Amino acid sequence: MSLSLYDASIPTFLHSLRSLKAILEKAVAHAEARKFDPNVFVSMRLYPDMLPLSRQIQIASDAAKGAAARLSGSEPPKFEDNEATLAELIARVTKTIDYLEGFKPEQLEGDDNRVITIKTPRMTFNFKAVDFVRHWALPNVFFHITTAYALLRHGGVEIGKADFLGPVPQV
């Protein structure tokens, strides 16, 4: 069985972002039930030199929409990275989901060996498209969503592995 770039990326991004949105909504409900401001989560960090929850969400969003755009040869929408509340972060995840839902499999068809270039502050990476999905795009989305999950769990939100995985398709 062959898996297309679309099938390996877009549905996985959507599934993970929907789970992230549900986790963020649980964080809001958790705070409201305990009568504290849910926005205290926004600046939480696991360690002082790590990025806060807000940046974890922003980067997960950017990684997913950026990967889809690169794979389709288009430009991703620019989000301002100015979210200061959980409601704004949830809205950002929703915008990212809406953007990804607009992709069709044929938009990502083509040469799986075409080069995808990623420039970071430290270096430039050149990937074959298939390796970009497997070794860069998916791990980056998972890393930042996992870190967001860990921050909220550490903050007392009653979430578990099933929340991270979300509804799993079954036969």
Side-chain angles (χ1 to χ4, degrees), residues 13-14 16-17 20 24 53-70 76-81 83 88-100 103 137 140-145 148:
F13 295 150
L14 285 167
S16 296
L17 290 168
L20 174 61
L24 292 169
L53 178 71
S54 58
R55 285 297 294 143
Q56 301 298 335
I57 305 304
Q58 291 163 348
I59 294 169
S61 164
D62 288 347
K65 68 185 174 70
R70 285 180 182 92
K78 173 116 175 71
F79 297 168
E80 294 301 318
D81 294 340
E83 295 85 6
E88 291 170 346
L89 290 167
I90 291 167
R92 182 191 182 110
V93 172
T94 301
K95 281 193 315 187
T96 306
I97 289 168
D98 291 345
Y99 172 69
L100 293 173
F103 281 90
N140 268 293
V141 170
F142 293 150
F143 175 87
H144 292 286
I145 291 175

Side-chain angles (χ1 to χ4, degrees), residues 16-88:
S16 296
L17 290 168
R18 287 180 183 126
S19 293
L20 174 61
K21 181 179 175 183
I23 288 168
L24 292 169
E25 289 168 344
K26 280 191 171 191
V28 171
H30 172 84
E32 289 173 349
R34 285 154 186 81
K35 309 233 184 300
F36 69 86
D37 182 0
N39 298 316
V40 299
F41 291 123
V42 173
S43 61
M44 282 184 63
R45 299 170 187 262
L46 289 175
Y47 195 76
D49 69 350
M50 290 184 71
L51 296 172
L53 178 71
S54 58
R55 285 297 294 143
Q56 301 298 335
I57 305 304
Q58 291 163 348
I59 294 169
S61 164
D62 288 347
K65 68 185 174 70
R70 285 180 182 92
L71 291 167
S72 69
S74 62
E75 284 294 318
K78 173 116 175 71
F79 297 168
E80 294 301 318
D81 294 340
N82 59 2
E83 295 85 6
T85 67
L86 276 185
E88 291 170 346

Side-chain angles (χ1 to χ4, degrees), residues 109-120:
E109 283 179 5
D111 180 7
D112 290 359
N113 293 314
R114 69 185 177 277
V115 175
I116 304 284
T117 300
I118 301 292
K119 295 180 182 185
T120 71

Side-chain angles (χ1 to χ4, degrees), residues 23 26-28 30-31 41 151-160:
I23 288 168
K26 280 191 171 191
V28 171
H30 172 84
F41 291 123
L151 282 161
L152 294 172
R153 184 67 191 104
H154 181 71
V157 180
E158 295 170 7
I159 52 178

